[in-house]
Amino acid sequence: MKQEKHAKVFIKGIQKWSATEDPIVTSLRVHDGILLEESNSLEPLQDEKVIDGSNRVLIPAGVDPQVHLRTPGQPDKETPETGIQAAIAGGYSAVLTMPNTKPVLDHPEVVKSTHKLFDLENYSEFKVCLSVAISKNQKSREAVDFDALAKSGIHAFTDDGYGVHSTEIMEQVFAASERTGLPVLQHAEVAGHGGLLAPSKIQEELGIKAYLPEAESDMVARDIECLRKFPKARYHVLHVSCPRSVELVKEAKSEGLVASCEVSPHHLYFSSEDIRPDNTHFKMNPPLRKSEFRDYLQKSLANGDIDFVATDHAPHEHSSKDVSFKAAAYGTTGLQTSLRVLLDLYRRKILTSQRLVQVFSTEGSKFLGLKDGFGGFKVGEKFRGVIIDDFDKLYEVTSSELYSKSKNNCFVGSSLPAKVNSVILGLDTYDSLKG
C-alpha cells in the first residue's frame, strides 16, 4: 500500500455518487485535507496533484460498525496495522471494533490502553471507534459499569460473539443507553441451541446439528419486549440472517422504538447451497441460510428495512480454520470485499447508487455519530473518498490481495466487480493497492 501526503489535490472530471442525488460528473479541489470547492467547470491549479477521474467513480469512504480487530491480545489473528490497512484497501475511513479481545474491553483502563494501541502515526486520518462489553468478561452474569465506560470515549455496548441471555442485564443496559445515548448492539443467539449450520443438504451430509433461525429471532423478540420499557434506548441487531428478525425490528420501528439492524456482505451474496465441506471459511455465526433468506435480505437492504451493511470482519490464524467444519472457528474476513459485493448488487439493479452510498457510508456514520466529512462530501469539511476503477469488469478475489493478517475470506475464488483504485483520507492518499 503506497501512502503519500498531498496538501493540494484536484480530482478532475469524475462521476460522483451521493446518498441523495443521482450520479454527476464533477471536479473537486481538496486543500489541506478539506474539500475546498466542487464544480464541473473547475480547472487545476499549477501546484495541485491532479487525479484523472475519467471512467472512474467517486464515493464517500465507508464506515463499518462491526469489525473484529483483535486488539488487544490477539496479534496472531490481526494487528492494528494489518486491520487498518485492510479497511483502507476496502474503501473505509472508520470502523467500530468489537470487545471480545484479551483482555475483554469491559473496564475503563483497558479502553484507555486500547485507544493508545490504535494511535498510529501512519494512519492518523483513519478512525477506530471502540465498543465495550455489556457483561463482565462477556459471561452474561454481571453487568459492567456502564456509566464509567461511557465516559472513556466509547461508541457502543455489545457482547458480540455471545448473546446476552440475562433479561435483567438487558434491562440494565437499555437503562444505560437511555442515560448515555449509546447504542446497544446484540448478537442475537439464544443459549443452548447447539447448532452450527443452517438446515441444508450440507448440514445433513456433515451430520451437524441444525442452527435454526429461531435461535436468532427468539432473542430479538425477547429484546424488543424489554426495549418497550425503555423507549428512549437504542437497540441494534448485529448481522441479521433471517426474515423474522428483520420483521421484528420493523415492527419495533413502527411503534416508535429506536431499533435498527444490519446485514453482513456474506449473507447478501452467498446461501447455504454455496457451502463446501472442505472450505471452513464458510463457517460463520450466524450461518449462511437458504437462498430465499438471502434474497429477502437483499430486498430488505434495498428498501430500508435493514439499515446498513457491516462486515463482521473476523480474522483467525490458519490453524483455527485448517480443521474440520465442526472444530473450525466461526468467522470470515470482509473489509476488502464488502464494497465490491455492494457494487455487484448495484450492477444487478438491486441497489441504486444512492442506496449503496447510504448503506456503505452514510448510515453507519450517523449511527456512530461521526461528523466532519464522514459519510458524505461537504464543502468546508474533511474529505474522505474512494475512487473506483473498472466498474464494468469482474475480477477474481485472491488471498494475495488481502492486507489482513488472516486470509480466511469466503469470497476468495469468487468474481466481483470493480477495483478500489485509491482512497483519500484528508491529507493522506493511499494507492498501489493489492489486487
Side-chain angles (χ1 to χ4, degrees), residues 282-321:
F282 283 96
K283 183 181 178 182
M284 61 274 294
N285 187 3
L288 299 174
R289 300 194 180 279
K290 58 186 178 179
S291 57
E292 293 89 342
F293 281 21
R294 177 201 58 202
D295 296 346
Y296 177 93
L297 295 174
Q298 292 176 357
K299 293 176 182 177
S300 296
L301 182 67
N303 67 24
D305 289 342
I306 294 176
D307 296 88
F308 50 77
V309 169
T311 63
D312 193 15
H313 176 86
H316 289 289
E317 66 276 23
H318 180 69
S319 60
S320 293
K321 284 290 192 176

Side-chain angles (χ1 to χ4, degrees), residues 140-310:
S140 198
R141 294 172 184 164
E142 183 181 358
V144 300
D145 187 337
F146 298 114
D147 296 309
L149 283 162
K151 295 175 183 177
S152 65
I154 56 99
H155 282 75
F157 300 114
T158 182
D159 269 0
D160 184 38
Y162 307 93
V164 180
H165 307 133
S166 167
T167 300
E168 180 182 357
I169 290 178
M170 282 305 296
E171 292 184 351
Q172 290 178 43
V173 73
F174 281 150
S177 178
E178 286 197 323
R179 293 194 302 273
T180 65
L182 294 171
V184 177
L185 283 53
Q186 177 70 293
H187 172 107
E189 180 183 4
V190 299
H193 67 86
L196 296 180
L197 286 174
S200 61
K201 289 183 179 180
I202 188 68
Q203 169 256 326
E204 294 176 355
E205 289 173 9
L206 291 175
I208 291 175
K209 185 177 180 180
Y211 189 149
L212 300 177
E214 290 80 9
E216 173 182 297
S217 59
D218 284 356
M219 180 166 276
V220 176
R222 188 283 309 262
D223 289 345
I224 291 174
E225 189 65 33
C226 292
L227 185 64
R228 293 188 176 100
K229 302 177 184 177
F230 304 92
K232 295 181 180 179
R234 297 173 61 191
Y235 174 65
H236 180 77
V237 185
L238 298 164
H239 43 52
V240 292
S241 69
C242 60
R244 183 57 183 154
S245 295
V246 179
E247 291 164 2
L248 286 165
V249 171
K250 183 179 179 180
E251 291 168 8
K253 291 177 181 177
S254 70
E255 296 177 30
L257 298 174
V258 188
S260 57
C261 61
E262 68 187 41
V263 65
S264 300
H266 39 276
H267 289 107
L268 290 169
Y269 191 83
F270 294 114
S271 71
S272 55
E273 288 87 345
D274 296 305
I275 298 174
R276 300 192 305 274
D278 61 342
N279 189 343
T280 58
H281 301 333
F282 283 96
K283 183 181 178 182
M284 61 274 294
N285 187 3
L288 299 174
R289 300 194 180 279
K290 58 186 178 179
S291 57
E292 293 89 342
F293 281 21
R294 177 201 58 202
D295 296 346
Y296 177 93
L297 295 174
Q298 292 176 357
K299 293 176 182 177
S300 296
L301 182 67
N303 67 24
D305 289 342
I306 294 176
D307 296 88
F308 50 77
V309 169

